[in-house]
Amino acid sequence: QVQLVESGGGLVQAGGSLSLSCAASGSISSINVMGWYRQDPGKRRELVASITSGGRTNYADSVKGRFTISRDNAKNTVFLQMNSLKPEDTAVYYCNLLTIGVNYWGQGTQVTVSS
């Protein structure tokens, strides 16, 4: 059983910053991918950023240069630093872990950016 516990998020004005973190526990292979997705009501869930256990990162074009993903492999924790936030970044953000061919999801955390 794998569990993902997210923290962070909240309300911020446009141009501000927020950080998210997600700690994974359970049966996790040392080779895995952790990431963040986001979803607006009525829209498809989309990838924001991901990072492999080897440190390779991938970002959505809409967040490149503003968001930074990082991880602590010893603690199976992934972080998302979000700077220069825009109203269109408003969404529920979900932590994701891909390990041993299975996707796991966090419960989601709301990020709201006011204009």
Side-chain angles (χ1 to χ4, degrees), residues 31-93:
I31 301 173
N32 59 69
V33 183
M34 297 189 79
W36 293 93
Y37 288 70
R38 66 187 180 188
Q39 187 171 23
D40 255 346
K43 294 186 178 180
R44 189 179 63 180
R45 190 171 296 187
E46 63 176 8
L47 173 70
V48 176
S50 65
I51 183 167
T52 69
S53 47
R56 181 175 298 179
T57 59
N58 182 40
Y59 293 94
D61 288 342
S62 59
V63 307
K64 283 180 181 177
R66 299 188 298 122
F67 291 11
T68 302
I69 191 169
S70 60
R71 62 184 291 165
D72 182 337
N73 285 339
K75 296 181 179 179
N76 286 320
T77 300
V78 64
F79 307 94
L80 186 68
Q81 178 64 40
M82 304 182 290
N83 298 328
S84 302
L85 282 159
K86 305 175 181 180
E88 51 263 44
D89 294 317
T90 296
V92 177
Y93 284 67

Side-chain angles (χ1 to χ4, degrees), residues 3-7 21-25 28 34 75-78 95:
Q3 286 189 320
L4 302 178
V5 179
E6 302 161 346
S7 60
S21 63
C22 173
S25 61
I28 303 169
M34 297 189 79
K75 296 181 179 179
N76 286 320
T77 300
V78 64
C95 177

Side-chain angles (χ1 to χ4, degrees), residues 10-26:
L11 173 65
V12 67
Q13 288 189 329
S17 299
L18 283 174
S19 60
L20 305 179
S21 63
C22 173
S25 61

